[in-house]
């Protein structure tokens, strides 16, 4: 499993429009080869910074896969007007989200990223 972490800086005055726009383009992401779920989370200390975490089967499924696709171009066109600067993207390798010592079987990762 590979996780893409995208830091999306949104203009403060466009946060609600960004949320609506993301909802509209999210299906383009979810139909990509190797897609395994995603979570869009707004920062608490910095509400204008959103974190998009996408689970991919492999790095190649994201890049060059999705990033080289027409769906990615349309996905970004639907969001780019709301960014205050260029998003930053990086990847991590990961396995199952650890909940050692907790019996919470309904963690946010289990609900948003099924199949872990």
């Amino acid at each position: 499993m590979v996780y893409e972490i995208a830091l999306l800086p949104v203009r403060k005055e466009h946060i609600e429009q960004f949320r609506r726009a993301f909802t509209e383009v999210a299906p383009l992401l979810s139909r990509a080869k190797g897609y395994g779920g995603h979570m869009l989370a707004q920062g608490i200390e910095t509400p204008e910074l959103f974190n998009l975490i996408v689970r991919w089967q492999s790095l190649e499924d994201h890049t060059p896969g999705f990033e080289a696709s027409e769906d990615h171009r349309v996905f970004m066109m639907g969001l780019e007007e709301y960014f205050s600067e260029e998003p930053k993207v990086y990847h991590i390798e990961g396995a199952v989200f650890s909940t050692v010592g907790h019996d919470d079987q309904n963690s946010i990762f289990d609900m948003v990223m099924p199949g872990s």
Side-chain angles (χ1 to χ4, degrees):
M1 252 346 103
V2 171
Y3 294 90
E4 166 198 3
I5 301 174
L7 304 175
L8 309 175
V10 175
R11 289 184 186 91
K12 287 182 183 182
E13 64 274 13
H14 294 296
I15 288 175
E16 289 309 313
Q17 295 96 322
F18 170 78
R19 286 178 172 282
R20 285 192 296 274
F22 186 86
T23 300
E24 291 179 19
V25 298
L28 298 169
L29 174 64
S30 62
R31 70 183 185 194
K33 177 185 179 290
Y35 168 85
H38 75 272
M39 176 177 71
L40 180 68
Q42 186 174 11
I44 295 172
E45 295 84 2
T46 53
E48 67 278 6
L49 184 62
F50 284 78
N51 292 262
L52 173 61
I53 303 172
V54 184
R55 185 170 66 181
W56 298 98
Q57 287 295 318
S58 70
L59 180 61
E60 292 76 20
D61 285 333
H62 177 234
T63 179
F66 180 63
E67 282 193 348
S69 72
E70 177 65 12
D71 278 354
H72 181 263
R73 187 186 72 74
V74 174
F75 180 86
M76 291 305 293
M77 281 181 50
L79 301 176
E80 65 189 5
E81 70 181 281
Y82 305 108
F83 296 145
S84 59
E85 60 185 77
E86 189 72 23
K88 293 175 179 58
V89 177
Y90 62 98
H91 300 88
I92 59 172
E93 288 185 294
V96 176
F97 190 78
S98 176
T99 57
V100 175
H102 298 280
D103 291 332
D104 183 7
Q105 297 299 314
N106 294 314
S107 78
I108 188 70
F109 284 93
D110 294 332
M111 292 183 284
V112 176
M113 299 180 169
S116 51

